[in-house]
């Protein structure tokens, strides 16, 4: 268990560019979950962050966030997270996973995000957004719909696009993007990044995981192209690297930029953890700062050995092999489990999702369980102190 420490605004920060090796310490103790971390010009009060979680709740099907998003994301910030990363937010209308997904392709969406980011910031958390394009996995019914698969055009759906005309199992066949259209996607990510900054987001994550468009380009199982965006690993990574460079140029040098990878397709002949480490190193050179390491999502029907922390080893592999900063995800459900991941040097931050849905105040409870005093418990809640379970 981490020794009792008090985190205050004056606590020294750790710059991740100099802390990528195992055995990082603060004084005579290892780094812990509640030690701050700095990425470029942005300080995060702790290393326990909210992973992006799709809500499928843009009610008018126009990509505009609603009061649901304000309350949902605001509660997570109030609960003590170091960063709150909003769900996969599409850079084009055709890039939405479902017709009810959020977007940042117009100024109405930008303006609707501003009160949300302002509230997150007011609670001491860093507001982040995951910019995405779903590619061949777009235009689908949301998970709780009675219907599944692709939404037809006459019901609000659209023609999907992908690196190649290879369908995801159970979905309609996409149209392969032309080389010129691929270049247009780089511009769409760049413009969405500018809107993200103007909307008040202080962190951007690029979604190159879970079988969505950037992942589709990376994996040879979905990318059968013969132009400069297909074939070799360098070519398959070209779009992602162009997006990273374009976004970095747009947001400037002091702005944190993350990339989420699926470290393996869990399928023979697919994308794997060594490919991920290689491309993470290239992405770092292109301007990315930290890599959020998940797995899977590209192909259906694969066997995945799911268990507590089952994806942490991939974050550790990428961190070690590429010498980059990583975030760990995947069935991380307890305070000691999360703290050990950071203290042992397996990852630099921990991103959680379902546990935050169960308890938006999980960080405050986790700190109590670990014996860590925090100075950011909401004053309005101090009559009900957070205690270990």
């Amino acid at each position: 268990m981490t020794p009792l420490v008090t985190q205050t605004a004056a606590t020294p920060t750790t710059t991740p560019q100099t802390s990528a090796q195992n055995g990082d310490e603060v004084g005579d103790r290892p780094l812990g979950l509640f030690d701050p971390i700095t990425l470029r010009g942005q300080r995060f009060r702790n290393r326990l962050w909210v992973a992006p979680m799709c809500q499928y709740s843009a009610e008018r099907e126009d990509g505009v966030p609603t009061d649901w998003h304000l309350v949902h994301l605001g509660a997570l910030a109030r609960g003590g997270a170091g960063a709150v990363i909003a769900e996969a937010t599409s850079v084009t209308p055709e890039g939405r996973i479902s017709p009810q997904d959020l977007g940042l392709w117009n100024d109405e969406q930008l303006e609707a995000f501003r009160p949300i980011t302002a509230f997150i910031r007011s609670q001491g958390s860093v507001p982040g957004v995951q910019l995405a394009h779903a590619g061949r996995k777009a235009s689908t019914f949301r998970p709780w719909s009675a219907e599944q698969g692709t939404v037809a055009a006459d019901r609000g759906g659209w023609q999907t696009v992908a690196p190649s005309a290879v369908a995801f199992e159970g979905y309609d066949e996409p149209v392969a993007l032309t080389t010129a259209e691929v270049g247009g996607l780089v511009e769409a990510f760049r413009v969405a990044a500018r809107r993200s900054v103007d909307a008040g987001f202080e962190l951007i994550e690029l979604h190159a995981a879970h079988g969505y468009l950037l992942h589709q380009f990376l994996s040879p199982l979905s990318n059968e192209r013969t132009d400069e965006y297909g074939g070799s690993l360098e070519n398959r990574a070209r779009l992602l690297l162009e997006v990273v460079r374009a976004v970095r140029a747009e947001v400037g040098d002091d702005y944190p930029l993350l990339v989420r990878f699926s470290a393996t397709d869990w399928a023979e002949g697919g994308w794997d953890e060594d490919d991920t480490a290689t491309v993470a190193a290239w992405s770092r050179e292109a301007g990315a700062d930290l890599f959020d390491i998940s797995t899977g999502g590209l192909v259906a029907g694969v066997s995945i050995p799911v268990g507590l922390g089952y994806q942490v080893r991939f974050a550790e592999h990428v961190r070690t092999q590429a010498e980059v900063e990583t975030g760990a995800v995947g069935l991380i459900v307890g305070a000691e489990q999360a703290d050990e991941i950071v203290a042992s040097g397996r990852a630099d931050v921990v991103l959680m999702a379902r546990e935050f849905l169960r308890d938006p105040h999980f960080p405050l409870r986790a700190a109590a369980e670990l014996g860590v005093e925090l100075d950011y418990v909401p004053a309005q809640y101090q009559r009900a102190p957070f205690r270990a379970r």
Side-chain angles (χ1 to χ4, degrees):
M1 183 174 289
T2 302
L4 178 65
V5 293
T6 302
Q7 307 294 349
T8 70
T11 303
T13 63
T14 300
T15 303
Q17 284 84 346
T18 63
S19 65
Q21 301 304 314
N22 292 344
D24 298 331
E25 294 183 352
V26 176
D28 60 353
R29 64 175 178 82
L31 283 171
L33 194 62
F34 288 95
D35 284 303
I37 184 171
T38 297
L39 294 177
R40 295 190 181 252
Q42 181 64 61
R43 179 185 185 274
F44 301 80
R45 62 187 175 187
N46 61 48
R47 296 161 185 257
L48 180 55
W49 300 358
V50 178
M53 293 179 278
C54 287
Q55 299 295 293
Y56 309 102
S57 297
E59 293 177 357
R60 291 184 290 155
E61 300 187 2
D62 55 6
V64 176
T66 67
D67 288 347
W68 173 268
H69 300 94
L70 171 62
V71 175
H72 165 66
L73 296 170
L76 299 172
R78 183 194 62 200
V84 176
I85 306 178
E87 66 196 76
T89 299
S90 185
V91 300
T92 69
E94 299 78 23
R96 291 170 293 166
I97 301 168
S98 79
Q100 294 81 27
D101 277 21
L102 299 183
L104 261 173
W105 65 80
N106 66 42
D107 290 343
E108 182 184 4
Q109 297 155 350
L110 182 164
E111 293 296 336
F113 271 119
R114 279 182 167 163
I116 298 173
T117 59
F119 185 81
I120 292 171
R121 191 180 310 108
S122 77
Q123 300 306 297
S125 189
V126 174
V129 64
Q130 184 185 66
L131 296 182
H133 190 298
R136 69 181 189 174
K137 293 179 75 175
S139 189
T140 62
F141 291 98
R142 50 188 174 184
W144 58 84
S145 172
E147 301 174 86
Q148 297 297 304
T150 303
V151 179
D154 62 0
R155 300 182 63 187
W158 54 89
Q159 174 64 58
T160 59
V161 297
S164 306
V166 179
F168 183 78
E169 184 177 332
Y171 292 5
D172 288 356
E173 182 177 297
V175 171
L177 290 156
T178 66
T179 304
E181 287 170 336
V182 174
L185 286 171
V186 177
E187 177 65 5
F189 273 96
R190 184 196 66 78
V191 173
R194 170 46 50 194
R195 285 199 172 96
S196 300
V197 174
D198 292 345
F201 288 108
E202 297 175 340
L203 172 155
I204 289 172
E205 177 174 272
L206 301 175
H207 200 354
H210 300 164
Y212 298 121
L213 186 70
L214 295 178
H215 185 185
Q216 291 162 29
F217 271 87
L218 292 171
S219 177
L221 298 180
S222 49
N223 185 343
E224 299 178 350
R225 300 177 73 92
T226 57
D227 65 359
E228 60 264 42
Y229 293 99
S232 67
L233 180 61
E234 292 85 353
N235 282 356
R236 287 183 279 117
R238 189 181 304 277
L239 174 58
L240 171 63
L241 297 178
E242 288 179 351
V243 169
V244 170
R245 293 188 191 102
V247 171
R248 171 55 65 207
E250 185 63 40
V251 301
D253 291 337
D254 294 331
Y255 193 95
L257 178 59
L258 279 59
V259 177
R260 170 166 269 198
F261 283 118
S262 281
T264 176
D265 292 336
W266 299 106
E268 185 176 353
W271 173 261
D272 63 23
E273 59 263 43
D274 291 329
D275 293 336
T276 305
T278 298
V279 177
W282 294 344
S283 300
R284 180 62 176 269
E285 293 174 2
D289 301 305
L290 185 144
F291 302 90
D292 174 3
I293 305 299
S294 187
T295 66
L298 186 89
V299 292
V302 295
S303 176
I304 302 176
V306 175
L308 289 178
Y310 72 104
Q311 296 178 142
V312 175
R313 66 184 177 92
F314 295 101
E316 182 177 15
H317 178 86
V318 173
R319 188 179 196 261
T320 301
Q321 295 301 309
E323 297 185 336
V324 296
E325 290 68 54
T326 62
V329 303
L331 283 181
I332 302 169
V333 299
E336 292 191 5
Q337 178 195 16
D339 189 59
E340 186 276 335
I341 291 167
V342 173
S344 64
R346 302 178 75 191
D348 298 275
V349 300
V350 170
L351 296 102
M352 299 172 72
R354 290 175 176 85
E355 193 62 30
F356 275 107
L357 295 182
R358 288 185 281 265
D359 181 3
H361 297 99
F362 176 78
L364 303 182
R365 292 189 182 277
E369 184 173 332
L370 295 170
V372 176
E373 265 182 49
L374 301 177
D375 65 355
Y376 46 82
V377 177
Q380 298 92 329
Y381 286 13
Q382 288 179 359
R383 287 179 293 175
F386 290 88
R387 299 186 177 92
R389 292 176 177 173

